[in-house]
Amino acid sequence: MTDTTTTTPYTTDETDRETTDEPFEGVYPAMTTPFTDDDAVDHDQLAANARYLERAGVDGVVPVGSTGESATMTHDEHIDVIETVRDAVEDVPVIAGTGSNNTEEALSLSQRAADAGADGLLLISPYYNMPEPEGFLTHYRTIADAVDLPQIVYNVPSRTGQSIPVDVSVELASHPNIQGYKAASGDLNLISEVIERTRDEEFSVLSGDDGLTLPVLSIGGTGTISVVANVEPERSCAMVGAALSGDYDRARSLHHELAPLIRELFAETNPIPVKEAMHLRDRGGPHVRPPLSRLSEERRESLRALLAEYENGTPEPAETGRVSGGAE
């Protein structure tokens, strides 16, 4: 178990960014769940990772989402992870992933997460079932009516098989407990319309695709739920902070610095590469639960070389052929 200091030379001083009254703003790492070699949750390393991210200046943490391998965790493990992260951090909110394609299951997890001290909820849209618009509305309203926490609707059709219709997202934004939208569709036109049509609500649109964070911020997004921030939290905070303060020259420079790592982190299924990257940074083992498997040998060497470039300063421009970034 390690609890190391941050490594990148970027400040995250509050003076670097103008703050607003948005419900969710800034950088929220989609945390991994470290496992031991015998497949148990490594709670000591999990707590150390949460403390590391808080020291790096993130605005909140998001455990037990897709990146946290919630799909292969029991409900009890799920809640134990939330409690560990809640106990580890001092001043940043814990936004717990509690979504399911079963409304009653999502409701139960959400209620248990609230009891465990979560400050908010991230709710992936129902997968496999393929609900109609009324089904989406009923699903989300059932949870929002019963659990008095800020909630983020998570649209990631690459994992669920279906995009939440814009009209549904706009209608949900009027619910007082539904205060955010994680945009991982890869469709900037769709994301722009959600932002445009919810501007009068207390409703934040967060990028859910690291490669599109800067474009999403440029059209009115307020932050990111990020995979790359697990590995380079200070660079990520500096990039988002610069954009939110209107310094797009600096934000673009940092976006291009992060781009090679983002591509590498999505070269295989998330969270396989990010867990390998964290292992190389001495922040937990690379073990992922089946049916996922460890990063391929070829990619390990590529990732190792790239991380060395970040540790030595600014990475060189990426070679062509790397796989582009995808949704968290």
Side-chain angles (χ1 to χ4, degrees), residues 39 69 72 287-293:
D39 218 29
E69 295 176 79
T72 53
H287 179 68
V288 288
R289 281 185 170 173
L292 299 183
S293 56

Side-chain angles (χ1 to χ4, degrees), residues 218-231:
S218 76
I219 58 174
T222 62
T224 177
I225 297 177
S226 168
V227 172
V228 73
N230 285 290
V231 186

Side-chain angles (χ1 to χ4, degrees), residues 62-249:
V62 184
V64 285
S66 303
T67 306
E69 295 176 79
S70 59
T72 53
M73 296 172 66
T74 68
H75 288 193
D76 286 344
E77 286 178 321
H78 198 110
I79 300 306
D80 288 345
V81 165
I82 295 168
E83 290 177 340
T84 293
V85 173
R86 176 69 278 167
D87 291 344
V89 298
E90 296 180 1
D91 296 319
V92 298
V94 176
I95 313 301
T98 57
S100 171
N101 67 333
N102 177 334
T103 302
E104 288 303 313
E105 182 176 72
L107 175 59
S108 174
L109 274 173
S110 297
Q111 291 170 326
R112 291 185 66 184
D115 291 342
D119 300 291
L121 308 175
L122 175 66
L123 294 152
I124 195 168
S125 66
Y127 39 88
Y128 188 79
N129 310 64
M130 305 294 283
E132 296 298 325
E134 189 59 35
F136 279 118
L137 292 168
T138 300
H139 176 82
Y140 280 111
R141 285 171 175 162
T142 296
I143 300 161
D145 287 345
V147 184
D148 191 20
L149 286 178
Q151 295 168 30
I152 299 172
V153 172
Y154 179 12
N155 188 34
V156 56
S158 64
R159 287 189 182 267
T160 65
Q162 184 180 19
S163 184
I164 303 172
V166 172
D167 288 347
V168 168
S169 300
V170 171
E171 190 165 346
L172 289 172
S174 65
H175 194 292
N177 282 339
I178 299 177
Q179 298 182 14
Y181 176 92
K182 180 179 176 182
S185 65
D187 184 343
L188 277 175
N189 285 323
L190 183 152
I191 297 165
S192 181
E193 186 177 354
V194 172
I195 293 170
E196 173 194 346
R197 294 176 59 190
T198 59
R199 286 178 295 173
D200 295 333
E201 304 285 354
E202 292 186 3
F203 190 74
S204 298
V205 174
L206 303 164
S207 171
D209 183 332
D210 280 313
L212 291 180
T213 293
L214 184 56
V216 169
L217 293 172
S218 76
I219 58 174
T222 62
T224 177
I225 297 177
S226 168
V227 172
V228 73
N230 285 290
V231 186
E232 288 287 331
E234 290 173 318
R235 275 187 174 93
S236 298
C237 290
M239 189 270 283
V240 171
L244 291 176
S245 294
D247 186 353
Y248 276 90
D249 287 341

Side-chain angles (χ1 to χ4, degrees), residues 6-12 16 52 56 232-236 238 250 254 257 281 309-315:
T6 56
T7 59
T8 51
Y10 297 92
T11 65
T12 55
D16 284 354
Y52 169 88
E232 288 287 331
E234 290 173 318
R235 275 187 174 93
S236 298
R250 185 175 188 229
L254 290 162
E257 281 189 27
R281 287 280 178 87
E309 293 181 26
Y310 280 91
E311 289 164 3
N312 293 328
T314 303

